[in-house]
Amino acid sequence: DSHAIIQLSKMITMNAPKTKIEIARDLGISLRTLQRWIKKSGLQVPRGLVCPKKQEEILEVLGYPVEKEHSVD
């Protein structure tokens, strides 16, 4: 269900740094699977906590829709 995926994507990038273990858990996959997908994509992800911006980048590269907040002028 695409609505569930969008909600999941929003939950994952809620402005809090997370570990790869937490990101994998939120996606419903194992850490090893996340690591393989990241490696296959060529994305460089640092050790330790992953900042929200990098989390969005991971989701986009892996094909998850990321709903970005737009500021209103």
Side-chain angles (χ1 to χ4, degrees):
D1 175 78
S2 63
H3 181 68
I5 292 172
I6 291 170
Q7 292 292 46
L8 176 65
S9 297
K10 286 171 74 176
M11 177 183 73
I12 290 170
T13 58
M14 292 185 82
N15 299 322
K18 293 186 177 186
T19 64
K20 290 179 197 160
I21 293 171
E22 292 171 316
I23 295 169
R25 183 193 61 222
D26 289 346
L27 292 172
I29 60 175
S30 71
L31 172 61
R32 186 69 184 122
T33 298
L34 178 63
Q35 291 171 326
R36 285 182 185 138
W37 289 357
I38 289 172
K39 184 176 181 178
K40 186 176 180 181
S41 74
L43 191 61
Q44 296 295 315
V45 180
R47 291 179 166 232
L49 292 174
V50 180
C51 70
K53 184 174 180 171
K54 185 59 92 169
Q55 291 175 45
E56 285 185 13
E57 191 177 337
I58 291 169
L59 290 175
E60 289 173 355
V61 167
L62 299 181
Y64 288 88
V66 176
E67 193 171 294
K68 302 200 185 225
E69 294 181 19
H70 299 285
S71 61
V72 178
D73 294 326

